């Protein structure tokens, strides 16, 4: 794995108005790794993701994607940066009035000069990638929850981005469907060399897909730990991080864990 940074977060403070959610964050996401953002409820996981993809401007600090600052970029530069990443949101966030195929085609029409025939070919290949080859003409409402998640992945992959962001990809899915999505995420890294950032609290998924995690601490509004989750659950110097990463086993033993 190339250790070069795909994402650099430096001296980052984020929040809403005067309310600070997280402050003085410093971490990197390495090229080609699967990196999970974790922490207890209300710690700022999704808020951090929204800043990473440029939906919100930070209160302080910088975010660099593939070496380019999304914070200081002008409109044209931001558009070019956004072309190189894909995002899937909770529930898929597909446009309900568009067919699955049209949802996938949308970024191709927005960011490329491809003709209709070429776009149709790309859409077909992306649907095959997520095992939805026969679903292009369906509306999102006609898909199961797991199928909508996979259709959203196909849309995120439409432009063959260098970076992929997933917000709670396993939320609302049964264990079997969740495991299938984990395998899809791993295959995207293997086939395309994509760098993948995942916001999640699902430990089964984390220990299946993650190379490293960042643990966010609501109490201190900062980072508690960064590293391989398999090592952090035994060797981390922060007790609540060890408890968090071992919580399933502790529950089986009848021990409560305060996340």
């Amino acid at each position: 794995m190339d250790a070069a940074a795909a994402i650099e977060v430096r001296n980052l403070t984020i929040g809403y108005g005067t309310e600070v959610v997280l402050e003085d964050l410093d971490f990197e996401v390495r090229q080609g790794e699967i990196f999970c953002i974790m922490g207890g409820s209300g710690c700022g996981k999704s808020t951090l993701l929204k800043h990473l993809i440029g939906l919100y401007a930070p209160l302080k600090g910088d975010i660099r994607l593939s070496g380019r600052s999304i914070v200081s970029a002008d409109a044209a530069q931001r558009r070019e940066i956004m072309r190189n990443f894909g995002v899937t949101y909770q529930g898929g966030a597909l446009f309900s009035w568009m067919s699955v195929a049209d949802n996938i085609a949308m970024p191709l029409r927005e960011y490329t000069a491809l003709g209709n025939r070429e776009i149709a070919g790309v859409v077909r290949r992306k649907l095959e990638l997520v095992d939805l080859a026969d679903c292009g003409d369906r509306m999102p409402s006609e898909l199961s929850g797991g199928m909508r998640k996979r259709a959203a992945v196909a849309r995120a992959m439409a432009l063959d981005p260098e970076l992929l962001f997933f917000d709670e990809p396993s939320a609302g899915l049964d264990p079997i469907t969740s495991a299938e999505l984990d395998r899809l995420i791993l295959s995207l890294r293997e086939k395309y060399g994509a760098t993948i950032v995942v916001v999640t609290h699902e430990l089964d998924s984390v220990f299946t897909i993650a190379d490293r995690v960042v643990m966010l601490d609501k109490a201190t509004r900062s980072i508690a730990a960064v590293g391989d989750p398999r090592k952090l659950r035994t060797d981390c110097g922060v007790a609540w991080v060890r408890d968090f990463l071992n919580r399933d086993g502790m529950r089986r033993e009848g021990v409560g864990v305060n996340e």
Side-chain angles (χ1 to χ4, degrees):
M1 182 183 297
D2 186 352
I7 302 172
E8 298 172 83
V9 174
R10 295 288 177 255
N11 196 31
L12 186 71
T13 295
I14 60 176
Y16 304 100
T18 59
E19 178 189 357
V20 174
V21 176
L22 293 162
E23 56 187 344
D24 298 326
L25 305 184
D26 278 281
F27 65 90
E28 296 179 351
V29 180
R30 298 167 185 158
Q31 187 73 35
E33 79 174 337
I34 299 176
F35 187 88
C36 289
I37 300 172
M38 302 186 68
S41 298
C43 70
K45 298 185 295 294
S46 291
T47 299
L48 176 56
L49 178 68
K50 290 171 183 176
H51 282 77
L52 293 180
I53 62 177
L55 290 182
Y56 297 120
L59 302 177
K60 184 180 70 172
D62 196 19
I63 301 165
R64 302 183 72 84
L65 306 182
S66 301
R68 295 174 292 182
S69 173
I70 198 169
V71 175
S72 60
D74 61 27
Q77 292 168 335
R78 181 179 292 265
R79 181 178 174 85
E80 181 59 28
I81 292 170
M82 293 177 68
R83 190 195 185 288
N84 289 315
F85 67 74
V87 185
T88 69
Y89 301 95
Q90 287 191 50
L94 299 173
F95 294 108
S96 60
W97 62 90
M98 292 183 180
S99 69
V100 171
D102 283 338
N103 266 278
I104 300 168
M106 186 190 64
L108 295 164
R109 295 191 174 109
E110 176 72 16
Y111 288 100
T112 77
L114 296 176
N116 289 336
R117 184 173 180 178
E118 294 167 304
I119 288 174
V122 174
V123 169
R124 183 179 64 255
R125 291 192 293 274
K126 300 310 176 186
L127 285 169
E128 291 170 350
L129 174 68
V130 298
D131 295 325
L132 292 176
D134 299 326
C135 296
D137 292 333
R138 294 192 192 183
M139 302 301 288
S141 61
E142 298 175 306
L143 304 180
S144 68
M147 293 168 75
R148 283 195 296 273
K149 298 266 191 177
R150 284 186 280 139
V153 173
R155 183 177 63 185
M157 287 296 297
L159 298 171
D160 293 327
E162 301 171 358
L163 301 170
L164 283 172
F165 297 91
F166 290 82
D167 188 9
E168 298 284 5
S170 298
L173 301 181
D174 63 79
I176 293 175
T177 305
S178 179
E180 291 173 348
L181 189 58
D182 287 343
R183 288 193 289 272
L184 175 58
I185 290 172
L186 287 168
S187 73
L188 294 176
R189 194 259 296 273
E190 180 180 349
K191 292 179 180 178
Y192 297 96
T195 301
I196 300 173
V197 176
V198 183
V199 170
T200 185
H201 63 275
E202 299 288 346
L203 285 185
D204 286 344
S205 291
V206 168
F207 290 120
T208 297
I209 67 174
D211 297 301
R212 292 189 304 138
V213 302
V214 58
M215 301 293 300
L216 303 179
D217 189 337
K218 181 179 180 180
T220 63
R221 300 186 299 190
S222 63
I223 293 173
V226 180
D228 183 334
R230 288 154 286 269
K231 295 181 179 178
L232 291 178
R233 67 177 166 183
T234 57
D235 299 337
C236 184
V238 181
W240 77 258
V241 172
R242 296 195 308 273
D243 289 346
F244 189 102
L245 294 172
N246 283 286
R247 69 185 188 268
D248 284 350
M250 297 180 74
R251 284 173 179 159
R252 285 193 294 271
E253 295 169 8
V255 180
V257 176
N258 182 2
E259 298 177 4

